[in-house]
Amino acid sequence: IAGITQAPTSQILAAGRRMTLRCTQDMRHNAMYWYRQDLGLGLRLIHYSNTAGTTGKGEVPDGYSVSRANTDDFPLTLASAVPSQTSVYFCASSDTGGGGSDEQFFGPGTRLTVL
Amino acid sequence: GQQVMQIPQYQHVQEGEDFTTYCNSSTTLSNIQWYKQRPGGHPVFLIQLVKSGEVKKQKRLTFQFGEAKKNSSLHITATQTTDVGTYFCAGPNTGTASKLTFGTGTRLQVTL
């Protein structure tokens, strides 16, 4: 069982380019999340999805979009990358999305550098 | 907005010494979770506390939830090099459809 996979592992991207980070889970979890991790700032929620077909904005959604066409996949798109989006991106999932009481399972992360 | 702060930001101990990290929320929490992230790795769930004043132990790790449910602590007894990593607390964010708000994390370094 893989759990959560993310691709690519790392990427260097020119500013202004479009980029999609992929996330797939095989646990049939309803809820999925995207976080960015920056030194000294911990993990900040970008977007989330409580169930397939629905998405919501987190703490830092600007410059990012997501979609949830099915249960397993939750891609994160940067329409026009900027250097401030240089970060480590983690995808996570939980069995349900309500109440913030479920354990979250994290993928291995994608290290993105925007030049 | 809700803030979850952790102190210290960083601690360096010698193997065998004890370690404590403290987590403080600006709002009352219905529960608190703790995660560990090894260097270069991803966060991994450790435990969840729900009740006021609750104390839970996992081998050398002791987790406590404050009486007012606004703070929590993680204490490691006799640290080992395997304890190296960053420890995060996280609590429900009522301002974002009850998603988790993660604390700023405490990075623990253990040397022989």
Side-chain angles (χ1 to χ4, degrees):
Chain A
I1 297 177
I4 298 182
T5 57
Q6 292 184 238
T9 301
S10 65
Q11 182 77 42
I12 299 175
L13 190 67
R17 297 295 296 268
R18 180 184 179 90
M19 175 74 192
T20 295
L21 308 185
R22 300 185 297 278
C23 174
T24 300
Q25 55 110 352
D26 64 2
M27 297 175 283
R28 307 303 294 173
H29 283 170
N30 285 309
M32 296 187 75
Y33 314 85
W34 274 106
Y35 294 90
R36 60 178 290 173
Q37 184 173 35
D38 304 289
L39 194 63
L41 296 176
L43 292 154
R44 293 182 293 168
L45 183 66
I46 304 171
H47 284 287
Y48 65 91
S49 168
N50 283 337
T51 189
T54 69
T55 62
K57 294 182 179 180
E59 180 184 357
V60 288
D62 294 343
Y64 306 94
S65 64
V66 292
S67 62
R68 186 90 184 276
N70 56 62
T71 297
D72 299 343
D73 301 301
F74 192 43
L76 176 73
T77 297
L78 289 67
S80 180
V82 295
S84 61
Q85 292 178 310
T86 294
S87 187
V88 179
Y89 291 86
F90 287 102
C91 180
S93 71
S94 64
D95 192 19
T96 67
S101 60
D102 285 342
E103 169 187 358
Q104 291 191 9
F105 296 82
F106 285 79
T110 293
R111 183 174 295 276
L112 181 67
T113 302
V114 183
L115 301 176
Chain B
Q2 179 190 41
Q3 291 187 341
V4 181
M5 303 299 293
Q6 285 182 251
I7 55 171
Q9 189 171 4
Y10 170 76
Q11 188 151 5
H12 183 180
V13 300
Q14 288 196 316
E15 190 175 48
E17 293 182 335
D18 292 356
F19 160 77
T20 303
T21 173
Y22 299 91
C23 174
N24 295 286
S25 171
S26 59
T27 61
T28 301
L29 302 171
S30 59
N31 69 84
I32 193 147
Q33 299 181 15
W34 284 91
Y35 291 77
K36 176 183 178 181
Q37 182 178 21
R38 294 181 186 276
H42 59 276
V44 175
F45 174 83
L46 293 176
I47 207 163
Q48 180 182 81
L49 304 172
V50 178
K51 299 176 183 177
S52 169
E54 186 171 15
V55 177
K56 287 188 176 180
K57 292 189 176 184
Q58 289 180 349
K59 297 183 180 179
R60 296 176 294 103
L61 277 61
T62 301
F63 304 84
Q64 186 166 8
F65 202 8
E67 294 289 343
K69 302 184 79 173
K70 293 183 70 174
N71 58 76
S72 181
S73 64
L74 158 59
H75 179 81
I76 302 178
T77 303
T79 55
Q80 300 176 359
T81 55
T82 53
D83 296 323
V84 165
T86 301
Y87 293 85
F88 293 97
C89 62
N93 182 338
T94 55
T96 314
S98 298
K99 300 310 161 193
L100 283 179
T101 295
F102 280 81
T104 46
T106 295
R107 185 161 70 94
L108 172 65
Q109 179 63 36
V110 181
T111 52
L112 296 172

